[in-house]
Amino acid sequence: MDSTELPMDLITEEILTRLPVKSLMRFKCVSKLWLRLISSRYFTHRFLTVHSPRLYMCLWDANDYLNCEILSSALLDATTTTTTPSPFLVDHYLTTPRMGRHILQNLGGFMCYIYWNKPRMYNPATRQLVTLPFKKSDHMIVPPGGKKIVRYYFGYDALNHKYKVVSSISVHLKQNMEVISSENWVFVLEGGVCSWKKAALTSPDFCPHVPCKMEGLCIDGVIYYMALLGPFEYVFVSFDVKSEEFNMIQVPRRDGDELLERFQNVGLLEYGGKPTLFDQTNLKDKGVVALWSVEDAGSKKWSCKSLVVQPSQLHLVNTITFNVKGITQNGKVLLIPKNILFPFHILSYDIQNNDMRKIEIRGIPDRWFNMDEEAEVCVDVMFMDQSESVISSDFVSSLDWTERDNHDTSIHRSLPLSVSLPIL
């Protein structure tokens, strides 16, 4: 019988891109050709363009550091055409040691977070976990009445296909938020060795600051995070992953900014390719949202857009306090309840069409809704609307990937992970 070989583009476009990550990791062992193909930047780019929405949830008890659970869920009906969004259903348990709590960023399919003061990157598809070394700051003295804050922010350089991590360390007085000192460090791979190096701050208007939000943002190879220069002065700090240049952009002041708590209701997200503040200060009481976008980083110009929630949808927001948790590829802002509630749901806010919808998350273990009175249940969610990651970055691949889920025996510890992930 005649045998006909399938064209490689057919294998790549129509077969391999439709497979789960776990199968692709196994298929690397088929031949050297398949290993090169699956590990190539082209295939990684192609794989990440496949629409595969998945939601990751972390639940923990704030009074019990070891009581933590990580859940993965998929759309119950991905083919629905109704206006009512399909619920998500929990289908995997990803709990593993040295993981959990606040998810800081979704960076090209990696879950970035902090655990025991160490920055960590987790690939939920392959269940591989890498821990970066803690940036020591013993040389920064904390005066009486002072406090030290260490934050980590993650970014990706598409041109050189490299990840970098920024550590912002600051000392300030707790009573009046006066900044005593601050330093910025960059985690890089040089000469095959990963290490922290102190950033050279060349911008004349770059000042000592206190990072005021744990979450950061990366757009086109530039990391952004929010910081305080003083009690009532907020800035965007930007870091170019390629040039390693830092800059600051003053955040416009508004009535009421005298209250430090005001910015607890502000989230950082990408809107129209620009870093944007999603201000929900008046969402619960008045149904009003303000979007502050950086129109021109060079001239430091801002624009503001106000949205008023439809009257028929006000009941979704007027009794529950939400956190802003990013934006999907099609422009829908995700709002996550600050506290666990039953039945659990999140909000999807289409800011282009001013339309808000409730999305239910089913299959959460009952124990999280039946904790004793001493427990303080917290929840965090990460939405991933591109395919999961199949490979790691250059500097991540040089680190030790042996920390992984002990319950997942399908992934061998020595799998090659040597090719960079593409841009987000």
Side-chain angles (χ1 to χ4, degrees):
M1 186 173 81
D2 293 337
S3 60
T4 304
E5 290 188 1
L6 292 174
M8 186 55 68
D9 58 348
L10 176 63
I11 294 175
T12 303
E13 301 291 331
E14 301 298 331
I15 300 177
L16 295 183
T17 55
R18 300 175 186 270
L19 295 176
V21 172
K22 194 174 294 186
S23 298
L24 291 173
M25 300 300 280
R26 292 195 188 103
F27 288 169
K28 284 185 176 183
C29 303
V30 171
S31 67
K32 291 183 178 180
L33 175 62
W34 279 48
L35 172 62
R36 288 195 300 270
L37 171 63
I38 297 172
S39 300
S40 68
R41 285 182 183 147
Y42 167 77
F43 181 79
T44 312
H45 270 283
R46 181 66 185 90
F47 189 76
L48 275 178
T49 61
V50 179
H51 190 66
S52 180
R54 181 160 284 274
L55 188 143
Y56 297 95
M57 174 183 293
C58 183
L59 295 154
W60 72 93
D61 180 1
N63 298 320
D64 183 359
Y65 211 90
L66 299 178
N67 189 6
C68 179
E69 192 165 23
I70 300 172
L71 310 173
S72 173
S73 57
L75 282 172
L76 189 60
D77 182 9
T79 62
T80 182
T81 57
T82 63
T83 56
T84 303
S86 171
F88 279 79
L89 178 65
V90 173
D91 57 3
H92 287 92
Y93 293 81
L94 303 178
T95 307
T96 185
R98 300 170 298 277
M99 274 202 63
R101 303 218 167 194
H102 292 289
I103 305 167
L104 303 182
Q105 265 178 274
N106 167 17
L107 194 63
F110 282 102
M111 192 183 293
C112 305
Y113 65 100
I114 306 297
Y115 189 84
W116 285 110
N117 297 322
K118 292 183 179 180
R120 300 169 189 256
M121 297 180 71
Y122 179 64
N123 187 333
T126 61
R127 303 194 183 185
Q128 293 169 306
L129 170 66
V130 63
T131 300
L132 279 62
F134 173 70
K135 178 66 199 77
K136 295 181 179 181
S137 57
D138 298 339
H139 62 285
M140 298 181 69
I141 307 301
V142 180
K147 183 179 180 180
K148 182 187 296 183
I149 292 180
V150 181
R151 294 282 187 262
Y152 298 95
Y153 303 99
F154 303 78
Y156 177 69
D157 173 15
L159 273 179
N160 297 308
H161 302 279
K162 291 186 183 296
Y163 287 80
K164 289 180 184 176
V165 182
V166 169
S167 175
S168 179
I169 309 172
S170 66
V171 176
H172 68 277
L173 297 179
K174 290 186 286 186
Q175 185 174 4
N176 59 5
M177 294 300 296
E178 179 185 348
V179 183
I180 304 299
S181 62
S182 71
E183 293 181 355
N184 286 77
W185 294 75
V186 183
F187 191 75
V188 295
L189 172 64
E190 292 181 339
V193 178
C194 293
S195 62
W196 290 101
K197 74 172 184 178
K198 192 171 183 179
L201 306 177
T202 57
S203 177
D205 58 352
F206 197 85
C207 307
H209 60 277
V210 179
C212 58
K213 288 283 186 179
M214 293 178 63
E215 297 85 358
L217 183 69
C218 185
I219 305 175
D220 296 334
V222 179
I223 297 174
Y224 298 91
Y225 64 89
M226 284 186 63
L228 274 169
L229 298 185
F232 316 118
E233 192 173 4
Y234 293 88
V235 293
F236 265 179
V237 178
S238 67
F239 171 76
D240 190 304
V241 176
K242 180 182 178 182
S243 66
E244 298 190 359
E245 180 180 348
F246 281 88
N247 282 290
M248 281 185 169
I249 306 172
Q250 192 83 30
V251 174
R253 286 190 64 175
R254 307 148 303 160
D255 293 338
D257 279 351
E258 295 78 17
L259 302 175
L260 289 173
E261 294 80 8
R262 181 72 176 264
F263 269 78
Q264 293 180 359
N265 298 315
V266 173
L268 183 59
L269 51 83
E270 177 182 357
Y271 177 57
K274 302 167 185 175
T276 299
L277 293 175
F278 185 95
D279 184 356
Q280 56 163 336
T281 303
N282 297 313
L283 176 61
K284 194 172 181 179
D285 297 331
K286 302 178 182 179
V288 177
V289 167
L291 296 174
W292 292 82
S293 299
V294 178
E295 290 297 328
D296 187 341
S299 60
K300 303 181 180 181
K301 291 183 178 179
W302 292 75
S303 66
C304 183
K305 175 182 179 181
S306 294
L307 300 172
V308 181
V309 176
Q310 298 180 35
S312 62
Q313 298 175 345
L314 280 174
H315 68 282
L316 296 174
V317 297
N318 57 16
T319 60
I320 302 172
T321 302
F322 291 90
N323 286 322
V324 182
K325 199 61 183 183
I327 190 168
T328 67
Q329 291 182 355
N330 55 3
K332 296 177 181 177
V333 177
L334 299 180
L335 300 174
I336 313 301
K338 285 189 176 181
N339 302 307
I340 192 75
L341 50 87
F342 182 84
F344 188 80
H345 69 272
I346 64 176
L347 297 183
S348 171
Y349 187 24
D350 185 340
I351 51 181
Q352 188 67 34
N353 298 308
N354 193 29
D355 183 47
M356 187 175 289
R357 298 301 173 99
K358 181 169 71 174
I359 303 177
E360 188 178 347
I361 314 299
R362 300 176 182 174
I364 300 172
D366 291 339
R367 74 182 187 92
W368 292 105
F369 302 105
N370 301 311
M371 303 284 277
D372 57 45
E373 294 182 357
E374 296 180 355
E376 184 181 344
V377 179
C378 303
V379 59
D380 200 7
V381 168
M382 183 186 86
F383 183 75
M384 190 184 299
D385 55 355
Q386 77 277 346
S387 283
E388 298 168 304
S389 304
V390 290
I391 336 177
S392 73
S393 71
D394 289 337
F395 89 76
V396 171
S397 66
S398 69
L399 300 177
D400 182 7
W401 279 92
T402 57
E403 295 184 66
R404 63 182 181 90
D405 188 346
N406 293 327
H407 299 290
D408 183 13
T409 58
S410 63
I411 302 173
H412 196 276
R413 292 178 184 267
S414 62
L415 278 175
L417 294 166
S418 58
V419 182
S420 301
L421 280 169
I423 192 169
L424 300 178

